Amino acid sequence: MVLDDAALQKFSFIPRGMKDAINIDPLQTGGKLTEDAKRTLLEWGDGYSVCDYCGGVLDLIKKPPIEEFVHSVLPEFLNTDEVRVTHGARESKFAVMHSMAEKGDYIVLDELAHYSSFVAAQRAGLNIRTVPHSGSPDYKTDVEAYATVIEEITRETGKAPALAQVTYPDGSYGNLADVNRISDLCHRYDVPLMVNGAYSVGRMPIDAKKMGADFIVGSGHKSMAASGPVGLLGVKEDYADIVFRKSPTHKNKEVELLGCTVRGAPIMTMMASFPHVVERTRNWYDEVADARWFSSRLEDLGIMQMGDKPHDHDLMFFKAPVLYDISQTAKKGRYFLYRELKQRNIHGIKSGLTKYFKLSTFQVGRENLKYVADSFEEIIDKYQKKE
Ligand SMILES: *Cc1c(COP(=O)(O)O)cnc(C)c1O
């Protein structure tokens, strides 16, 4: 029954229904394809499309110019020694954790780390200790505590942690911790540092060496205008032989990458968008200005921005008691906000949220941001008048 022709029809072309909406979903603002990337997606959409001229190592393919992209352009873009393309930020993190640590070892994460960092560590059989943050309203990571946590682990287990990680920025509040101070502290104890740049690589200027990052992680579908799943892993030369070690049986295949990673359209869309991505990282400070402007518009309406203030990133977390109060009496309760925004063609705040929500202003543009802020104002006015 489920495999009959009529039933199967529902799986053919499915429109997304998002045409022309203003998108402020933090997961999506940095992953929108450029026009070139859209054309590329169709052109290279067939499976294994990049493998026509492959001599056995995906990142050494010359036509299309994957080798140049991976081995010279990306290392310069991130200022790191070796880069590989992966299936996403989490796969990059797992590769590092799995190769740098042994089962049972400890690693240090910031408490604000993404769930995928915890899950990657668990898959690698590692123990986790976290560095705390200050809680509401700033959620500031206690940078000095990297030293305390490293010392604690060393004292209790007789062995320093295999790795420390900082999420830059974190995926909830968009806070940028003092990464230079963190790397100084970690290196004092000979602990290598991984910087999770899922929300920074492809959005803002990133210089791994200047940060003191031994590993830098990026997400193509989150921040590099790529269709994905695709991500980046940058590694300092000291650790490249460990993370990118080769198979004893298949001499040109890197074990941690299972031989080959992104075998088609995702890497091609990442390359197609790359000129635009370089350009936008150069204009990052305009994005910060837009984020701050938008934050102050919402604050004027009684919607408070949590996290670093003034804010240095487009990802922002808001606390909105005024919208929560409205939801208590509005028709359909807490779904009113989603419905009102949808009517105004604004997409990206999760259905049912009113009291707390996050959003991103990245690449939305001042004019659209003004429209979004005006819409919040209009919605609040409309419901407050009803009461
Ligand atoms: C989105 C996100 C990830 C996951 O990225 P993938 O590329 O989908 O694995 C990891 N870390 C942070 C901080 C994120 O925001």
Side-chain angles (χ1 to χ4, degrees):
M1 279 295 265
V2 291
L3 288 180
D4 71 29
D5 282 355
L8 288 175
Q9 272 316 303
K10 68 163 152 303
F11 301 116
S12 52
F13 181 78
I14 298 167
R16 186 175 171 203
M18 274 270 302
K19 256 207 159 68
D20 305 323
I22 294 177
N23 196 339
I24 52 172
D25 184 337
L27 286 178
Q28 295 175 345
T29 52
K32 287 178 72 168
L33 298 185
T34 58
E35 289 306 316
D36 276 342
K38 286 181 195 171
R39 281 172 56 214
T40 298
L41 185 57
L42 276 180
E43 180 78 10
W44 293 86
D46 292 340
Y48 290 107
S49 60
V50 301
C51 302
D52 288 338
Y53 302 97
C54 182
V57 182
L58 183 127
D59 54 81
L60 296 182
I61 292 175
K62 288 198 165 60
K63 196 181 157 196
I66 294 176
E67 179 179 32
E68 186 183 347
F69 185 61
V70 174
H71 290 279
S72 89
V73 174
L74 289 175
E76 179 157 333
F77 179 61
L78 299 168
N79 195 19
T80 185
D81 296 321
E82 285 280 338
V83 173
R84 295 293 185 276
V85 173
T86 66
H87 295 293
R90 69 197 70 201
E91 283 80 2
S92 300
K93 292 183 286 187
F94 176 73
V96 173
M97 292 175 188
H98 187 248
S99 54
M100 292 293 296
E102 315 227 319
K103 251 199 173 94
D105 280 354
Y106 274 81
I107 65 163
V108 179
L109 299 179
D110 44 344
E111 203 175 344
L112 295 175
H114 192 251
Y115 76 84
S116 62
S117 296
F118 288 86
V119 174
Q122 289 155 3
R123 184 183 178 192
L126 310 181
N127 291 304
I128 299 163
R129 274 290 161 85
T130 57
V131 171
H133 58 72
S134 62
S136 182
D138 297 329
Y139 299 92
K140 209 173 182 53
T141 291
D142 179 3
V143 167
E144 300 302 316
Y146 272 86
T148 330
V149 173
I150 290 171
E151 281 180 15
E152 264 172 29
I153 293 170
T154 311
R155 192 171 345 107
E156 287 171 30
T157 69
K159 194 177 174 190
L163 184 75
Q165 190 193 290
V166 58
T167 319
Y168 189 83
D170 76 84
S172 297
Y173 305 99
N175 284 351
L176 291 160
D178 183 350
V179 62
N180 286 93
R181 178 69 183 157
I182 295 172
S183 63
D184 273 355
L185 290 171
C186 292
H187 292 156
R188 222 173 266 186
Y189 299 92
D190 288 327
V191 175
L193 179 70
M194 175 150 64
V195 173
N196 177 6
Y199 264 113
S200 53
V201 171
R203 292 164 116 93
M204 52 190 281
I206 287 293
D207 186 322
K209 292 209 169 140
K210 223 188 229 169
M211 292 169 141
D214 300 284
F215 306 99
I216 177 82
V217 167
S219 175
H221 41 277
K222 185 172 269 158
S223 297
M224 299 184 75
S227 70
V230 60
L232 293 182
L233 172 58
V235 176
K236 207 174 157 197
E237 60 185 349
D238 313 38
Y239 302 108
D241 288 345
I242 300 172
V243 180
F244 302 133
R245 72 196 177 285
K246 299 216 161 60
S247 158
T249 53
H250 293 75
K251 302 269 182 235
N252 56 10
K253 301 294 189 190
E254 290 168 348
V255 172
E256 216 56 69
L257 306 178
L258 299 180
C260 295
T261 56
V262 185
R263 305 179 279 283
I267 186 172
M268 294 305 293
T269 60
M270 187 192 253
M271 290 203 297
S273 287
F274 193 68
H276 157 78
V277 164
V278 171
E279 186 63 27
R280 77 192 193 182
T281 60
R282 290 183 182 141
N283 296 327
W284 171 244
Y285 296 97
D286 295 338
E287 293 290 344
V288 173
D290 280 0
R292 290 179 180 183
W293 178 85
F294 185 79
S295 165
S296 77
R297 277 290 316 264
L298 289 205
E299 293 243 336
D300 289 344
L301 303 173
I303 299 174
M304 279 90 75
Q305 185 232 308
M306 309 278 105
D308 289 342
K309 257 205 276 196
H311 210 58
D312 296 311
H313 196 274
D314 59 272
L315 169 61
M316 292 179 285
F317 186 98
F318 290 95
K319 179 177 178 181
V322 53
L323 295 171
Y324 177 73
D325 288 348
I326 291 171
S327 77
Q328 297 302 296
T329 53
K331 208 169 91 188
K332 295 236 175 87
R334 62 200 179 94
Y335 295 99
F336 89 96
L337 181 62
Y338 179 80
R339 197 182 55 230
E340 292 285 351
L341 291 172
K342 189 173 176 158
Q343 275 168 13
R344 290 167 176 79
N345 212 17
I346 298 166
H347 170 89
I349 291 178
K350 277 212 175 75
S351 167
L353 297 185
T354 58
K355 195 175 189 177
Y356 299 102
F357 53 84
K358 53 182 186 174
L359 56 80
S360 160
T361 54
F362 190 61
Q363 299 274 287
V364 177
R366 192 64 72 99
E367 203 165 310
N368 283 338
L369 290 175
K370 182 173 181 309
Y371 171 77
V372 175
D374 289 346
S375 297
F376 271 98
E377 185 167 355
E378 216 177 86
I379 293 165
I380 291 170
D381 280 353
K382 171 175 160 185
Y383 283 85
Q384 283 184 337
K385 272 200 201 102
K386 272 193 195 158
E387 281 167 8

